[in-house]
Structures are given as structure tokens and as C-alpha cells.
């Protein structure tokens, strides 16, 4: 069981790293920053995975995402001076693999199901799914963005002198 | 005396124009308001002039003066619609520190800035492949199997290529997002229609995630924390409209193909 957790932990980190490199390329990130983005993404995503495990705290996905994003922001501020790039360059591609895509998708699915079902009980069920998934998705994104941005403002002096 | 004063006025005017160009490019390539403000002020301090900057959602206003703030020169520039480029962002930040620390003269600074403006974007084929791999990895992170990853890879490859072609043709960015999302969703729905793989719904849901405008959302929060509410609001709504477009494309794809869970 411990082995399974470890394998999932590293698998999570590996795929988050690949995703971060891909999204770095979309934003025209300098090539020498790819590896740092990948490391930060792997660390952040694996941390979120660990926090949501029943054996390691069983956090709800919203606080887990916020804590992991804060770690991503912190790592980005600390490592950005190594590659002489602003912290945003590192934390944006690292944050993207944590986007709650399934919640967003289920929100749209529930919205369409609401429109297709006029019976009160069925409509009520899909409306519940719509609000539950929509609110979870919105709060995960809000927690992620605030969590990652706070270190930039906490360590303003480091954040704005890394390209010096 | 008069010639020296007019020389000075011309110089201040040139500095104002340059700082406006600099701030416009920096804001246009995806820098936050606080970074744009700090970098531009650093340059103005290095040139030894008084300076104020106002960043609006679509324009930057720069006011520069020599000794008397009431005798300032103002330059207004539309924010360059450059697309997100962290490469240019990093180079412009570095330039501001080089000018501040090494006391580089104005003419050399302008030359370096012109060279940065010519920075080429990442090779489009490299972006296409890496983005497709990234989206396939997304699929795995959301619990998709290998078949779903392959479906997402192909649908992202096709959708992202469509996005590149439409943007090269100068099509409206909202229409581009809608079409690319529709295309990717329709292709990835193939897994569900032909019953390929064990997680076709994950393939459909992750196939459009490469279109999510993450940088404007993050920048909106950063601007909000720094109390640049107008820019924050504008960035948020720009991103929200693109998200609505990609959702509409996804819904249209699913409805037209009549997927059975609806």
C-alpha cells in the first residue's frame, strides 16, 4: 500500500512536470526556465496529492489546492533568481496542472442537463450538481491564484530583484 | 541658454516616449501592473527624470519632467497586443536593472529595447507538440487511461493547430477559441461514440483545457491585491469571455454529436 502511494506520488509529479513544460511553451517562456517550471509543478501537484490522501491529513481539495499553490509561489520566488526570470514565469505553468478541469466539465454537463430536464425533481438534482461543482471549481481556482500570488507580495524585495 | 533648454525639453520628450513604449510592451506581454510600474520607474530613476505612470486596461499614460513637475511631457501608448511572452517580460526586466546598475546611456538603452522587440516567439511546431503532450498529461492527472491520453493528444494537436492557423489569419480571438474548442471536443467525443477506452468522459473534459486563459486570471488577482482594480476587472472579464467561448464550443460539440449522457 505504501508502495502504491509512492508510485502514485511520483506519477503525479511526473505528469504535472510534463504538463508544466507544455504550458510554459504556450507562454513563450525562456527555454532555460522549463526545468525549473517542471520541478515546481511536480512538487506542488505531488504535495496536493499527498494532502488529500486519507493517510496524510485527508484535506478537502480546496484547502489542499491553496496550500500547494502557496508552496508553488514560494518555490517560484526562491528559484526564480537562479534562472534570472520573474517569479510569475515559473508559477503560472506550475499552477495549470492543478486546474479543476473535471469540476468545470461537470458544471457544464449539469447546466446542459438542467436545460434538457423540465421535471422539478430531476431539474433540482442537476441544479444541485451545477452549483456544487461550479462553486467547488470557482473556490479551487480562487484559492490557487491567491495562494500562489501571496508569496510574490510577501517577499517583494526578492520577487522584484530576481532579474538583476 | 535657450538652446540648452530646448535640448533638454527634447530629451525629456524622447524619454517619455521611450518609457511609454517600454511600459506598453511590458504590459502587453503579460506583466502585472506592479511589475510594469516598478520596472518603468527604475528606468526613469536611472535617466534622472521625475516620472509618473497610469496604467489603464488598454493604454498607458506616462508623465515625465526634468525639474518642475508642472512642466511635464506626457506620452500615451496603446498597450501592445503582443500575446503572452514571458521571454520578453524577463528580457525587459533585465534591461531595466542593467540600465539602473550599469548606467547605460539612453541611446544604447533604446537600441537594446529595439532588439528585445524583435524577439522571436517559441517555434510553433515545438509549442504544438509540447501543448498536446501537456494536455495528454492533464488527462492522466484527472484519471484518464492510456487510450484517453492518446485521444486527448490527437484532439489537442488538431485544435491547437486550428487556433494557430486562425490567429495567423488575424481572426477574432473569441471566434478562434470557440472553433478550436468545438473541434477538440468533437474529436475527443469519438472515444465515447465508438466506445474506445475506459474513461471517454475524461478525454472529452480535458480536451479543451489547453485553451484556458490562465495568465490573465492570475494577473487579475495580482492586480487586485495591488489595488489596480480597473486593470484587474478588465483582465478578469477578458479571461471570463474567453472561458465562455471555449465552454460554448465544448457544449456545441457535445450537443451536435448527441452524447448519450445528456
Amino acid at each position: 500500500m505504501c508502495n502504491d502511494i509512492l508510485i502514485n506520488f511520483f506519477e503525479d509529479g511526473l505528469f504535472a512536470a510534463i504538463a508544466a513544460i507544455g504550458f510554459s511553451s504556450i507562454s513563450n517562456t525562456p527555454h532555460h526556465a522549463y526545468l525549473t517550471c517542471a520541478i515546481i509543478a511536480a512538487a506542488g501537484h505531488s504535495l496536493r496529492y499527498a494532502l488529500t490522501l486519507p493517510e496524510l491529513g485527508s484535506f478537502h481539495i480546496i484547502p489542499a489546492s491553496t496550500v500547494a499553490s502557496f508552496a508553488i509561489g514560494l518555490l517560484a520566488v526562491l528559484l526564480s533568481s537562479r534562472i534570472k526570470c520573474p517569479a510569475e514565469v515559473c508559477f503560472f505553468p506550475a499552477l495549470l496542472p492543478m486546474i479543476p478541469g473535471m469540476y468545470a466539465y461537470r458544471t457544464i454537463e449539469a447546466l446542459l442537463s438542467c436545460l434538457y430536464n423540465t421535471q422539478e425533481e430531476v431539474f433540482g438534482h442537476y441544479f444541485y450538481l451545477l452549483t456544487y461543482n461550479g462553486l467547488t471549481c470557482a473556490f479551487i481556482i480562487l484559492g490557487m491564484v491567491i495562494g500562489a500570488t501571496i508569496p510574490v507580495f510577501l517577499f517583494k524585495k526578492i520577487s522584484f530583484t530576481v532579474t538583476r | 541658454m535657450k538652446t540648452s533648454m530646448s535640448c533638454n525639453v527634447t530629451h525629456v520628450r524622447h524619454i517619455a516616449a521611450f518609457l511609454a513604449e517600454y511600459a506598453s510592451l511590458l504590459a502587453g506581454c503579460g506583466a502585472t501592473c506592479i511589475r510594469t510600474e516598478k520596472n518603468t520607474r527604475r528606468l526613469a530613476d536611472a535617466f534622472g527624470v521625475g516620472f509618473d505612470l497610469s496604467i489603464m486596461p488598454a493604454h498607458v499614460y506616462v508623465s515625465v519632467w526634468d525639474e518642475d513637475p508642472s512642466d511635464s511631457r506626457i506620452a500615451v501608448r496603446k498597450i501592445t497586443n503582443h500575446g503572452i511572452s514571458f521571454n520578453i517580460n524577463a528580457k525587459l526586466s533585465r534591461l531595466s536593472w542593467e540600465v539602473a546598475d550599469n548606467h547605460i546611456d539612453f541611446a544604447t538603452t533604446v537600441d537594446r529595447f529595439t532588439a528585445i522587440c524583435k524577439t522571436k516567439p517559441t517555434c510553433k511546431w515545438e509549442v504544438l507538440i509540447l501543448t498536446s503532450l501537456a494536455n495528454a498529461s492533464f488527462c492522466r492527472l484527472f484519471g484518464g487511461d492510456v487510450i484517453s491520453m492518446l485521444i486527448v493528444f490527437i484532439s489537442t494537436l488538431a485544435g491547437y493547430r486550428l487556433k494557430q492557423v486562425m490567429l495567423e489569419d488575424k481572426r477574432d480571438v473569441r471566434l478562434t477559441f470557440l472553433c478550436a474548442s468545438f473541434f477538440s471536443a468533437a474529436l475527443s467525443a469519438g472515444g465515447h461514440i465508438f466506445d474506445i477506452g475506459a474513461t471517454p468522459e475524461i478525454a472529452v473534459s480535458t480536451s479543451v483545457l489547453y485553451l484556458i486563459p490562465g495568465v490573465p486570471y492570475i494577473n487579475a488577482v495580482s492586480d487586485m491585491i495591488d489595488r489596480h482594480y480597473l486593470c484587474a476587472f478588465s483582465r478578469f472579464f477578458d479571461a471570463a469571455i474567453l472561458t465562455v467561448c471555449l465552454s460554448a464550443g465544448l457544449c456545441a460539440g457535445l450537443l451536435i454529436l448527441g452524447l448519450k449522457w445528456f
Side-chain angles (χ1 to χ4, degrees):
Chain A
M1 188 183 150
C2 197
N3 272 353
D4 282 352
I5 291 177
L6 267 182
I7 290 170
N8 287 340
F9 186 78
F10 283 111
E11 193 186 11
D12 211 65
L14 174 72
F15 285 111
I18 299 172
I21 291 175
F23 288 105
S24 299
S25 71
I26 292 186
S27 333
N28 289 299
T29 302
H31 281 101
H32 67 272
Y34 281 9
L35 182 65
T36 311
C37 293
I39 292 169
I40 296 173
H45 210 276
S46 304
L47 175 64
R48 184 174 81 164
Y49 172 74
L51 288 173
T52 51
L53 284 175
E55 296 83 0
L56 291 166
S58 196
F59 273 61
H60 186 270
I61 192 157
I62 297 173
S65 302
T66 311
V67 171
S69 304
F70 183 78
I72 285 177
L74 211 56
L75 281 174
V77 170
L78 296 175
L79 295 180
S80 55
S81 55
R82 206 176 59 86
I83 53 166
K84 301 258 176 223
C85 285
E88 303 95 278
V89 174
C90 302
F91 77 62
F92 159 67
L95 274 187
L96 272 182
M98 295 210 301
I99 282 181
M102 283 313 290
Y103 284 101
Y105 173 72
R106 283 183 197 135
T107 308
I108 292 170
E109 188 187 4
L111 174 73
L112 289 179
S113 301
C114 274
L115 297 175
Y116 266 70
N117 292 285
T118 45
Q119 282 174 305
E120 193 175 345
E121 200 176 323
V122 185
F123 180 90
H125 171 67
Y126 284 118
F127 194 74
Y128 157 74
L129 289 179
L130 169 73
T131 46
Y132 171 73
N133 288 303
L135 282 175
T136 310
C137 178
F139 277 93
I140 291 174
I141 294 178
L142 195 68
M144 273 168 53
V145 176
I146 291 176
T149 314
I150 283 174
V152 175
F153 286 88
L154 276 183
F155 303 102
K156 257 187 185 174
K157 206 171 175 185
I158 305 176
S159 304
F160 294 99
T161 54
V162 289
T163 49
R164 194 170 195 172
Chain B
M1 174 74 181
K2 207 171 182 179
T3 321
S4 142
M5 258 183 76
S6 101
C7 249
N8 222 9
V9 167
T10 313
H11 186 55
V12 168
R13 211 168 54 221
H14 284 159
I15 290 177
F18 169 71
L19 292 178
E21 293 282 353
Y22 177 91
S24 137
L25 180 61
L26 192 56
C29 71
T32 52
C33 285
I34 186 168
R35 186 168 294 284
T36 308
E37 222 169 52
K38 275 183 181 284
N39 287 5
T40 318
R41 183 169 297 283
R42 193 177 300 134
L43 281 172
D45 290 347
F47 294 140
V49 290
F51 164 83
D52 233 331
L53 171 70
S54 168
I55 307 171
M56 299 303 279
H59 294 85
V60 288
Y61 297 75
V62 166
S63 167
V64 173
W65 60 91
D66 192 11
E67 280 166 3
D68 180 10
S70 63
D71 185 25
S72 60
R73 294 288 170 267
I74 291 171
V76 182
R77 291 288 181 280
K78 191 169 168 50
I79 290 179
T80 320
N81 189 13
H82 193 281
I84 307 296
S85 174
F86 285 139
N87 200 6
I88 293 181
N89 182 343
K91 283 183 179 178
L92 288 175
S93 293
R94 245 173 266 147
L95 174 70
S96 71
W97 279 113
E98 280 168 12
V99 174
D101 291 342
N102 305 335
H103 306 290
I104 297 170
D105 65 85
F106 181 66
T108 316
T109 309
V110 174
D111 288 345
R112 289 196 186 177
F113 174 75
T114 313
I116 292 172
C117 292
K118 290 174 187 161
T119 303
K120 283 185 180 163
T122 314
C123 166
K124 63 181 178 184
W125 301 112
E126 181 191 327
V127 177
L128 184 63
I129 297 293
L130 288 177
T131 308
S132 307
L133 280 173
N135 227 19
S137 302
F138 255 3
C139 178
R140 182 69 182 179
L141 288 173
F142 294 139
D145 60 1
V146 178
I147 304 284
S148 298
M149 284 175 76
L150 190 66
I151 291 171
V152 170
F153 180 83
I154 294 167
S155 56
T156 308
L157 199 75
Y160 197 81
R161 184 66 198 129
L162 177 67
K163 183 188 166 199
Q164 285 178 327
V165 170
M166 287 185 77
L167 289 179
E168 278 164 16
D169 280 355
K170 310 272 179 229
R171 303 285 172 198
D172 183 84
V173 69
R174 290 158 293 189
L175 177 69
T176 304
F177 269 61
L178 199 142
C179 293
S181 151
F182 173 77
F183 197 31
S184 291
L187 283 176
S188 63
H192 193 84
I193 292 167
F194 301 111
D195 207 17
I196 312 169
T199 52
E201 75 285 356
I202 294 179
V204 176
S205 62
T206 46
S207 63
V208 296
L209 287 184
Y210 66 94
L211 289 166
I212 286 183
V215 179
Y217 276 127
I218 295 170
N219 283 354
V221 175
S222 172
D223 289 348
M224 193 182 71
I225 293 174
D226 199 43
R227 294 189 296 179
H228 279 280
Y229 296 119
L230 267 182
C231 288
F233 191 72
S234 154
R235 282 191 212 264
F236 179 81
F237 259 79
D238 267 349
I241 284 168
L242 291 180
T243 310
V244 167
C245 290
L246 81 88
S247 306
L250 172 69
C251 291
L254 297 182
L255 285 173
I256 286 173
L257 290 167
L259 292 191
K260 58 187 174 194
W261 62 78
F262 296 131

